[in-house]
Amino acid sequence: MASTSNSLVEVPSVLESPTNRFYRTIWRWHFYAGLFVIPFMLILATTGIIYLFKPQLDALMYHHQMFVQPTGVMQPYTQQLEAAQSAFPDAKVSKFAPNVAPNRSAEVTLMTSDERTLTVFVNPYTDEVLGDRDENKNLQSIARKIHGELMIGKFGDYLVELAACWGLVLLITGLYLWLPRNRFKIFGTLIPRLWSKNKRVFWRDLHAVSGLYGTLLVAFLILTGLPWSGFWGETFAQVSSHFPAQLWDEVPQSQVLTGSLNQHGDHVVPWAVEQLPMPLSGTSGHEHHSGQSRASSTAFPKGIPLGTPVNLDSVVALAQAKGAFPGFSVSFPQGETGVYTVSVFPDNPTQEMTMHIDQYSGKVLADVQWQDYGLVPKVVEMGIAIHMGKYFGVGNQMLMLFACLVVIVLCVSGIVMWWQRRPKQSGRIGAPALPPYVQQWKVPIAIIAVLGIVFPLVGLSLVTVLLLDYLVLSRFPALKRVFS
């Protein structure tokens, strides 16, 4: 969104005004932020577009596995699960998702001995295994892993978070640079001069004006994506996600968090409950496998009825009786004290549910729904739903697609602008010159302080960059020539 006047590249005059010095300081920040952010933003926008249309792509790529012809009565869920287990006897079941519609298959998630994550599709009417999908090779799953962690784990997660935070710096500085410095003109400020034969004017206007109109949407994408990040997101969740103390009355808690179910790029439970401790199943007397427990009430809403076996069939029936919306899944107990977890992560966040069930007694140990969330988790969940293009259907997808395309246009036009104005055959990258005078650092330091508090990673990186800029680049002529 910055102007590319050649005069700004020249060495500043000693008499340069504080306003001009500050302008060139912001431009220099914008330039270096772009050098770091553009590669990441192109990756995030591209993978975001792929994952944005996951429902359509999955239905197209796995149509024969996902869709069935309804024929008679559905088989028990335990039989559907056994069919998937028979096809992969050495694999461990982690999740079962009942069919979301009469013409859809059930989906069983398995972990194989060679650490692959498979989704096995089962015809709920015939127990026929229709096929499987390797989530490690699925296009949409790969796109999501790249989008979240660049396929390199926690370090990649931090890099994406850092790039996203720097993206906010890029937007703020870009808006400042967009502001008319002299006389206001509609063309070039509010309307891009795309008809101009001057290539610099064309690309400058495309960058500046598209940035102006897309700033709010791009900022929304960044801010609603940060809650899933590894450093800022986890800290933010710990501070903002709290539930009533009575939720844990007479319910033993484990040290494992509900968010541990969100593994291998699969979001099983909503963000709002990731910091919720997993309760423990009672282990005294495994005769509770048959549902013979005093803790289990004959009132269905409190748990699986007395005398009913606690298995997949009864857990699904309980979830349906509790009002779980179609699309919910059942995660299986891990170990002797593990619990069944029923969770639904639907298009509409107000329909979210996370329910933990004792694997022996069938008692509901925790049941968290939309009305139990605080204000901040509700806002975050609504933002995430819109970010993922789920909340209001195809219109939501189109809006987020537009935001991703704006990001791509900004990145490509920024690269072209730099390429056009770079000093040719000089070995320099063409960065705006470092303004003189120490006085011009007062406002930037204040900005760093604010960013450092709100986004610690970007604050730390800004301090590092500014120290390198001031202590190294400005003091070594050879380096100064390259980065000027």
Side-chain angles (χ1 to χ4, degrees), residues 113-303:
S113 56
D114 56 354
E115 299 184 348
R116 289 183 301 150
T117 302
L118 297 181
T119 297
V120 180
F121 301 91
V122 180
N123 187 322
Y125 303 97
T126 64
D127 290 337
E128 177 190 359
V129 174
L130 303 174
D132 62 87
R133 180 177 68 209
D134 189 338
E135 299 299 342
N136 299 323
K137 298 179 180 179
N138 172 244
L139 173 64
Q140 290 75 262
S141 297
I142 293 173
R144 183 163 194 162
K145 290 177 182 178
I146 296 174
H147 193 80
E149 57 182 37
L150 305 176
M151 300 286 284
I152 54 176
K154 203 69 173 178
F155 179 68
D157 189 348
Y158 290 156
L159 279 179
V160 169
E161 178 182 337
L162 185 59
C165 292
W166 269 92
L168 291 175
V169 175
L170 205 58
L171 291 175
I172 295 170
T173 55
L175 278 178
Y176 177 81
L177 296 173
W178 165 85
L179 292 171
R181 302 184 66 199
N182 299 311
R183 185 167 60 89
F184 176 81
K185 298 178 181 179
I186 293 180
F187 294 110
T189 304
L190 299 178
I191 300 176
R193 292 164 289 184
L194 302 181
W195 58 84
S196 176
K197 295 182 180 180
N198 186 321
K199 291 184 178 180
R200 291 196 176 189
V201 171
F202 171 88
W203 288 104
R204 181 268 172 201
D205 285 9
L206 181 64
H207 186 80
V209 180
S210 62
L212 169 67
Y213 294 123
T215 290
L216 289 180
L217 273 178
V218 176
F220 174 83
L221 277 179
I222 293 173
L223 291 173
T224 53
L226 281 175
W228 288 112
S229 62
F231 182 79
W232 189 91
E234 288 184 9
T235 304
F236 182 63
Q238 291 170 2
V239 172
S240 61
S241 297
H242 298 284
F243 296 93
Q246 58 267 30
L247 180 69
W248 300 108
D249 288 349
E250 301 180 1
V251 176
Q253 303 177 40
S254 72
Q255 299 300 312
V256 180
L257 299 180
T258 300
S260 63
L261 296 174
N262 289 340
Q263 296 181 357
H264 312 291
D266 186 17
H267 287 163
V268 177
V269 298
W271 176 88
V273 299
E274 284 192 333
Q275 297 301 314
L276 185 73
M278 297 272 282
L280 299 173
S281 290
T283 57
S284 58
H286 282 197
E287 68 276 6
H288 298 332
H289 275 294
S290 299
Q292 305 298 326
S293 169
R294 292 183 181 180
S296 179
S297 171
T298 55
F300 202 78
K302 293 185 178 180

Side-chain angles (χ1 to χ4, degrees), residues 265-454:
D266 186 17
H267 287 163
V268 177
V269 298
W271 176 88
V273 299
E274 284 192 333
Q275 297 301 314
L276 185 73
M278 297 272 282
L280 299 173
S281 290
T283 57
S284 58
H286 282 197
E287 68 276 6
H288 298 332
H289 275 294
S290 299
Q292 305 298 326
S293 169
R294 292 183 181 180
S296 179
S297 171
T298 55
F300 202 78
K302 293 185 178 180
I304 295 172
L306 186 66
T308 301
V310 182
N311 56 25
L312 182 60
D313 288 327
S314 57
V315 169
V316 171
L318 174 61
Q320 293 170 337
K322 295 281 285 184
F325 282 82
F328 69 86
S329 64
V330 178
S331 297
F332 289 83
Q334 302 297 313
E336 290 189 355
T337 59
V339 294
Y340 285 100
T341 298
V342 174
S343 58
V344 56
F345 191 42
D347 295 346
N348 186 344
T350 63
Q351 300 170 352
E352 290 179 356
M353 169 190 282
T354 305
M355 183 167 60
H356 297 301
I357 303 167
D358 190 295
Q359 67 170 299
Y360 305 118
S361 70
K363 179 181 178 181
V364 175
L365 302 177
D367 181 8
V368 180
Q369 300 186 35
W370 176 261
Q371 61 267 24
D372 301 309
Y373 297 172
L375 176 61
V376 173
K378 285 182 177 179
V379 171
V380 171
E381 289 294 349
M382 193 64 71
I384 288 173
I386 298 173
H387 178 106
M388 297 179 69
K390 302 195 306 178
Y391 187 51
F392 50 93
V394 176
N396 194 165
Q397 289 179 309
M398 292 298 105
L399 182 64
M400 293 300 102
L401 172 63
F402 174 74
C404 290
L405 292 177
V406 168
V407 172
I408 293 174
V409 168
L410 289 174
C411 291
V412 172
S413 58
I415 293 172
V416 173
M417 289 167 61
W418 164 73
W419 188 259
Q420 289 177 340
R421 64 172 290 278
R422 80 195 192 289
K424 296 177 177 60
Q425 299 178 347
S426 65
R428 301 179 182 182
I429 66 172
L434 182 67
Y437 299 115
V438 177
Q439 291 93 321
Q440 60 93 28
W441 293 103
K442 292 181 180 179
V443 175
I445 287 176
I447 296 174
I448 292 171
V450 173
L451 288 172
I453 294 172
V454 180

